Amino acid sequence: MEAVILGSAAGGGVPQWNCRCAVCELARAGDPRVAPRTQSSIAVTADDEHWLLVNASPDMRQQIAATPALYPRHGARHSPIAAVLLTNGDVDHVAGLLTLRESQPFKLFATDATRESVDANRIFSVANPTFVPRITVAMDEPFEPVPGLRVEMFAVPGKVPLWLEDETLKIGEATETTVGLDISADGRRLLYIPGCAEVTQAVKARVQGADVLLFDGTLWTDNEMIEAGLGVKSARRMGHVPMSGLGGSLESLADVRVSRRVFVHINNTNPVLVSDSSERDQAETSGWEVGYDGMRIDL
Ligand code: MLT
Ligand code: MN
Ligand code: ZN
């Protein structure tokens, strides 16, 4: 199995178009300590012929252009992207479907809830259902979206997409609105969890023994956005467990047995993005890698 991190940032990317936080300003200035990053997506294959795209980011066009393995290879029209799978309905994970128009066949997999939010937006019919069948997948049931890859979706603590929030909002329930993926091939396991509001015992049990874990690295502290004067919501309110602090991912995943652990979906305010920061040092000392665009993972 091979995986490529196409986009390692959270919604907005690095730098974010309207943001003057310290990290965005460094990225904009071309400071070598902060690599620019595109929005959240990975691609995975077992045979190098058929790739599964997990989440379709608004930066999809740029991500494909930066990834020769995803270039068309046969005939007049072709794509190695044979399937797309959505882990939730957030804009940073679905807007790229608009880039994948042009009547190119691929299969689109999602939970019932996420599929409903795609179905409800008519603009997504540009990914013509005649060529792009939408396939609903149940929790905890293995399926094979591309040859040789076995995938199981599991619910993790989360919430509905930001654009669907209303007065009935509940945060932290593990439902099919936010899922993680347990991907395996040839006895190797990759766990992908780009959004997770809390590291519960169920999450830990699922991750246990994985060869590689790609995990929600949105914010460093719970009140990072508030303290920077950039928002009113905590990390947990946004459906993302912070890295540091009590119950943070560094602490709560410390005793889980995983060969390699990598942060993805990293928000531009997160100081781990600065290569010489004390936070980067702390994450790496705790055994984590900070994911970057184009990072290849062979398993
Ligand atoms: C998130 O991960 O919290 C969302 O992508 C936020 C958003 O839609 O901008
Ligand atoms: Mn997001
Ligand atoms: Zn910023």
Side-chain angles (χ1 to χ4, degrees), residues 69-90:
L70 301 181
Y71 292 178
R73 303 178 192 179
H74 311 291
R77 289 272 169 97
H78 168 260
S79 172
I81 299 170
V84 177
L85 193 161
L86 307 173
T87 62
N88 66 16
D90 271 323

Side-chain angles (χ1 to χ4, degrees), residues 224-283:
E224 182 170 314
M225 303 288 291
I226 304 166
E227 279 182 359
L230 297 168
V232 294
K233 294 178 192 166
S234 68
R236 289 182 170 90
R237 164 63 186 80
M238 292 189 285
H240 301 291
V241 63
M243 293 180 179
S244 66
L246 212 60
S249 50
L250 295 183
E251 179 200 72
S252 47
L253 288 166
D255 62 348
V256 171
R257 194 166 35 80
V258 176
S259 309
R260 201 170 162 191
R261 51 193 81 204
V262 182
F263 282 121
V264 291
H265 194 279
I266 308 164
N267 194 57
N268 56 72
T269 52
N270 193 326
V272 295
L273 291 175
V274 185
S275 63
D276 65 352
S277 65
S278 62
E279 291 85 355
R280 168 74 70 95
D281 186 53
Q282 206 175 315

Side-chain angles (χ1 to χ4, degrees), residues 10-12 88 90-93 159 161-163 194-195 218 238-240 265:
N88 66 16
D90 271 323
V91 171
D92 56 351
H93 285 165
K159 64 170 183 61
L162 177 60
W163 56 272
T218 309
M238 292 189 285
H240 301 291
H265 194 279

Side-chain angles (χ1 to χ4, degrees), residues 42 53 141 278 286 298:
I42 66 169
L53 194 72
E141 279 183 18
S278 62
S286 307
D298 284 307

Side-chain angles (χ1 to χ4, degrees), residues 13 15-16 18-25 28 230 267-269:
Q16 177 175 313
N18 64 343
C19 188
R20 294 189 65 228
C21 77
V23 178
C24 283
E25 288 287 77
R28 219 171 264 122
L230 297 168
N267 194 57
N268 56 72
T269 52

Side-chain angles (χ1 to χ4, degrees), residues 10-223:
V14 184
Q16 177 175 313
W17 73 286
N18 64 343
C19 188
R20 294 189 65 228
C21 77
V23 178
C24 283
E25 288 287 77
L26 286 172
R28 219 171 264 122
D31 191 295
R33 291 171 298 166
V34 179
R37 284 172 162 81
T38 62
Q39 296 167 81
S40 178
S41 176
I42 66 169
V44 192
T45 188
D47 62 4
D48 190 42
E49 269 296 309
H50 308 85
W51 286 76
L52 169 66
L53 194 72
V54 187
N55 292 320
S57 118
D59 303 320
M60 176 92 324
R61 184 179 174 283
Q62 179 185 346
Q63 292 168 343
I64 292 172
T67 312
L70 301 181
Y71 292 178
R73 303 178 192 179
H74 311 291
R77 289 272 169 97
H78 168 260
S79 172
I81 299 170
V84 177
L85 193 161
L86 307 173
T87 62
N88 66 16
D90 271 323
V91 171
D92 56 351
H93 285 165
V94 303
L97 290 173
L98 302 178
T99 299
L100 302 178
R101 59 195 191 280
E102 319 296 3
S103 303
Q104 180 64 40
F106 62 89
K107 291 180 187 150
L108 178 59
F109 295 93
T111 63
D112 202 32
T114 298
R115 188 198 155 153
E116 257 177 43
S117 35
V118 171
D119 286 351
N121 282 276
R122 288 241 356 239
I123 194 168
F124 289 117
S125 60
V126 296
N128 185 345
T130 307
F131 304 100
V132 183
R134 298 177 182 182
I135 302 162
T136 298
V137 186
M139 295 294 106
D140 308 308
E141 279 183 18
F143 61 104
E144 193 174 326
V146 294
L149 273 192
R150 178 186 177 280
V151 178
E152 215 173 297
M153 289 186 167
F154 55 96
V156 298
K159 64 170 183 61
V160 294
L162 177 60
W163 56 272
L164 280 173
E165 288 186 10
D166 60 20
E167 60 288 344
T168 66
L169 175 69
K170 292 199 191 95
I171 296 151
E173 285 188 350
T175 71
E176 60 171 43
T177 60
T178 311
V179 302
L181 302 184
D182 194 335
I183 306 175
S184 54
D186 302 320
R188 309 279 286 165
R189 276 177 73 219
L190 170 70
L191 267 281
Y192 177 61
I193 311 177
C196 184
E198 187 193 348
V199 180
T200 56
Q201 286 305 323
V203 170
K204 288 173 68 166
R206 180 55 94 155
V207 166
Q208 193 68 253
D211 294 291
V212 178
L213 167 64
L214 304 181
F215 192 78
D216 184 344
T218 309
L219 298 185
W220 177 253
T221 57
D222 198 34
N223 53 7

